[in-house]
């Protein structure tokens, strides 16, 4: 990592959609490392994804950074919104291509202002979620803890000290962007308890912990989509897929 490069990883989470929400970011500024997190109730997963980005980009230190800025996110909602959709929404009076009001309009408006301030200094990059990327996994853990009200311990110090901190908390290989983890078990629909039931009704995406809750939500609703998932990774991916489908 160049000392002139500001590296930012962000993530958001909600327990229910909406429900208790949390967001987090890992910031690497030269030889300095910093973690931040926050929460809000109620909130949606997308609102928390945006809140994490807002919190870092609005920071005076980040705005004053005189080198390049790279933002990593596992949310296609964030990535597509920042690189493609938001400018079009602004031109169209904050109405989507399906003639519906843009959700989270105030957050998107704030982010557009911030993106203009950063200009060509900033780039937005995709990181695959739940795939072993060190900082993405750490952000995810912090965001979930924040959503659950656990008040996670946040690091602030040198990158060398951060390596020790992460090692002591079960992480390794800092600097490579990878964690040492055992291979993930493939999901199976036979005899395995569901992690959650993801649905989309009238463009609203929701995750329920029980089939009874999901069934009540989707029963009799024209065009409703729903699916049983077996891990948080599957839940996140499907919720993003459903969200993207509702926006396009």
């Amino acid at each position: 990592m160049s000392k002139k490069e500001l590296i930012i990883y962000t993530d958001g989470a909600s327990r229910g959609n909406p429900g208790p929400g949390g967001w987090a970011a890992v910031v690497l500024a030269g030889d300095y490392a910093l973690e931040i997190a926050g929460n809000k109730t109620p909130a949606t997963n997308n609102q928390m994804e945006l809140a994490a980005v807002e919190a870092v980009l609005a920071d005076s230190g980040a705005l004053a950074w005189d080198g390049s800025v790279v933002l990593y996110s596992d949310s296609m909602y964030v990535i597509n919104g920042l690189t493609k959709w938001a400018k079009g929404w602004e031109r169209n009076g904050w109405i989507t291509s399906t003639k519906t009001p843009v959700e989270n309009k105030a957050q998107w408006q704030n982010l557009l202002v911030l993106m203009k301030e950063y200009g060509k200094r900033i780039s937005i990059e995709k990181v695959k979620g739940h795939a072993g990327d060190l900082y993405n996994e750490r952000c995810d853990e912090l965001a979930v803890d924040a959503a659950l009200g656990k008040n996670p311990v946040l690091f602030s110090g040198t990158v060398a000290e951060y390596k020790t901190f992460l090692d002591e908390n079960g992480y390794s290989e800092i600097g490579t962007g990878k964690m040492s983890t055992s291979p993930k078990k493939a999901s199976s629909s036979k005899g395995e308890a569901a992690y959650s039931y993801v649905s989309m009704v009238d463009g609203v995406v929701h995750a329920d912990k029980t089939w009874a809750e999901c069934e009540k939500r989707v029963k009799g609703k024209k065009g409703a989509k729903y699916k049983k998932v077996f891990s948080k990774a599957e839940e996140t991916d499907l919720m993003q897929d459903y969200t993207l489908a509702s926006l396009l």
Side-chain angles (χ1 to χ4, degrees), residues 15-28:
R15 303 298 85 191
N17 202 42
W23 59 265
V26 169
V27 181
L28 304 173

Side-chain angles (χ1 to χ4, degrees), residues 171-187:
Y171 295 85
S172 63
E173 298 183 37
I174 189 168
T176 66
K178 297 293 181 184
M179 290 175 57
S180 292
T181 56
S182 57
K184 293 184 180 180
K185 180 182 177 183
S187 63

Side-chain angles (χ1 to χ4, degrees), residues 9-218:
Y9 280 77
T10 64
D11 204 2
S14 64
R15 303 298 85 191
N17 202 42
W23 59 265
V26 169
V27 181
L28 304 173
D31 293 328
Y32 185 72
L34 172 71
E35 297 178 340
I36 60 174
N39 55 30
K40 180 182 178 181
T41 301
T44 66
N45 184 78
N46 284 338
Q47 287 168 348
M48 293 296 91
E49 294 279 7
L50 296 178
V53 178
E54 284 182 283
V56 183
L57 295 189
D59 180 79
S60 59
L63 285 166
W65 187 260
D66 63 357
S68 61
V69 179
V70 185
L71 174 72
Y72 290 94
S73 173
D74 63 11
S75 168
M76 292 309 300
Y77 179 68
V78 168
I79 294 168
N80 285 334
L82 291 177
T83 61
K84 300 176 184 178
W85 300 337
K87 290 181 180 179
W89 289 334
E90 184 179 46
R91 286 195 301 269
N92 295 329
W94 297 99
I95 298 297
T96 70
S97 59
T98 57
K99 308 304 180 185
T100 58
V102 171
E103 292 185 1
N104 308 316
K105 173 183 171 182
Q107 286 181 286
W108 283 118
Q109 288 177 316
N110 187 36
L111 284 170
L112 269 186
V113 172
L114 289 169
M115 289 294 289
K116 290 174 183 176
E117 289 192 50
Y118 282 91
K120 293 182 179 180
R121 289 187 299 138
I122 192 169
S123 61
I124 312 298
E125 303 291 340
K126 173 77 168 71
V127 60
K128 187 175 181 180
H130 312 288
D133 185 285
L134 175 64
Y135 304 118
N136 175 260
E137 295 285 355
R138 179 61 178 166
C139 278
D140 175 73
E141 179 182 57
L142 291 173
V144 171
D145 282 352
L148 295 174
K150 291 186 177 181
N151 296 317
V153 176
L154 301 174
F155 178 84
S156 175
T158 68
V159 169
E161 291 169 337
Y162 196 33
K163 179 185 187 307
T164 301
F165 175 82
L166 291 172
D167 284 345
E168 291 174 349
N169 284 274
Y171 295 85
S172 63
E173 298 183 37
I174 189 168
T176 66
K178 297 293 181 184
M179 290 175 57
S180 292
T181 56
S182 57
K184 293 184 180 180
K185 180 182 177 183
S187 63
S188 170
S189 60
K190 289 188 176 181
E192 186 177 351
Y195 178 81
S196 67
Y197 298 82
V198 179
S199 63
M200 181 171 71
V201 180
D202 296 330
V204 178
V205 182
H206 196 93
D208 289 298
K209 285 300 180 184
T210 69
W211 167 240
E213 293 172 310
C214 182
E215 183 180 29
K216 184 177 180 181
R217 191 179 305 282
V218 303

